[in-house]
Amino acid sequence: MRQPTDSHEMAESLMIEQANPVLEPDRFTPLQEADFQPVDPAYLKQLRLTLLPVLLLAAPLGWQLYQLPISLPLVASLALLIPGVAVLLMALFWAPRRYWLTGYCLRQHDLHLRTGALWRCTTSVTLNRIQHLEVSQGPLERLLGIARLLVYTAGGSGQDLAIPGLAKARADQLRLHVLQQLGEPEAGEREAAEGDA
């Protein structure tokens, strides 16, 4: 980083530091594992059911390879087995792991989503950036009684956060809670407004 050389640059640098002070990491409130709320168990069923089309598409292809006039028993057997075994392994190991690692955390100023099975990801949105919220359900989600809470923020072209696997009533409750928090000014802002009046 270049050091300021003249008094004008030094004054500018000092003004920037005062306007945007450096925060020490120990002042942050870290997310704890216990802060995250689990999603509905029906989300595990949804994950497993979404693997079904892969198996249904792969099975006819494997059958066609098996029916080829060329005698390739090993190749044909593998062509039949690999898609089925892959989907089975994903249903038995990937889907439960994805379900157990998916969670959300709503705090006073921010909302967090943790996902992953092999690769883990935590997405965070500050509440003051939220433009609007949607509760969305596809046909399978309606059948299972779950929904997704979609969060849109300022400047985003699409959803910035989507919490999957929420019970429909819980998704509606979270949406209303966040909207209420956005509608209420902070306690300090209320006191200042009351003091000005």
Side-chain angles (χ1 to χ4, degrees), residues 12-26:
E12 254 182 41
S13 174
L14 183 60
M15 285 174 49
I16 290 170
E17 285 178 19
Q18 289 174 348
N20 189 13
V22 175
L23 294 177
E24 296 300 321
D26 59 346

Side-chain angles (χ1 to χ4, degrees), residues 7-195:
S7 61
H8 179 68
E9 285 183 358
M10 292 176 82
E12 254 182 41
S13 174
L14 183 60
M15 285 174 49
I16 290 170
E17 285 178 19
Q18 289 174 348
N20 189 13
V22 175
L23 294 177
E24 296 300 321
D26 59 346
R27 292 186 59 199
F28 301 146
T29 307
L31 285 169
Q32 302 296 325
E33 190 72 25
D35 294 339
F36 285 92
Q37 301 295 314
V39 293
D40 195 274
Y43 182 56
L44 177 57
K45 292 177 188 170
Q46 180 191 6
L47 290 173
R48 286 182 169 153
L49 288 172
T50 54
L51 295 172
L52 212 54
V54 177
L55 184 60
L56 294 175
L57 290 173
L61 177 64
W63 181 251
Q64 289 298 323
L65 287 173
Y66 184 74
Q67 295 296 323
L68 285 175
I70 304 168
S71 179
L72 298 172
L74 180 62
V75 173
S77 299
L78 287 177
L80 280 173
L81 286 177
I82 288 175
V85 169
V87 170
L88 183 64
L89 288 175
M90 288 183 75
L92 291 176
F93 298 107
W94 174 82
R97 185 162 175 79
R98 174 75 182 227
Y99 163 70
W100 285 112
L101 290 173
T102 301
Y104 65 94
C105 173
L106 175 60
R107 301 192 301 182
Q108 183 178 1
H109 300 290
D110 44 27
L111 177 63
H112 306 272
L113 171 67
R114 180 190 62 198
T115 58
L118 300 176
W119 291 271
R120 295 186 191 178
C121 176
T122 301
T123 306
S124 303
V125 172
T126 57
L127 297 184
N128 64 353
R129 300 273 301 159
I130 293 176
Q131 289 291 337
H132 70 278
L133 302 153
E134 290 179 14
V135 174
S136 175
Q137 284 184 298
L140 183 57
E141 290 167 319
R142 274 196 308 275
L143 181 69
L144 296 171
I146 57 176
R148 285 171 284 144
L149 179 65
L150 307 176
V151 179
Y152 296 83
T153 61
S157 59
Q159 73 201 25
D160 294 289
L161 190 105
I163 303 174
L166 295 171
K168 175 70 167 77
R170 181 68 177 143
D172 289 333
Q173 183 184 26
L174 268 174
R175 181 180 164 275
L176 287 174
H177 180 75
V178 171
L179 288 174
Q180 286 172 352
Q181 277 194 294
L182 292 173
E184 293 178 8
E186 296 293 327
E189 292 174 12
R190 279 195 305 260
E191 290 171 7
E194 289 169 4

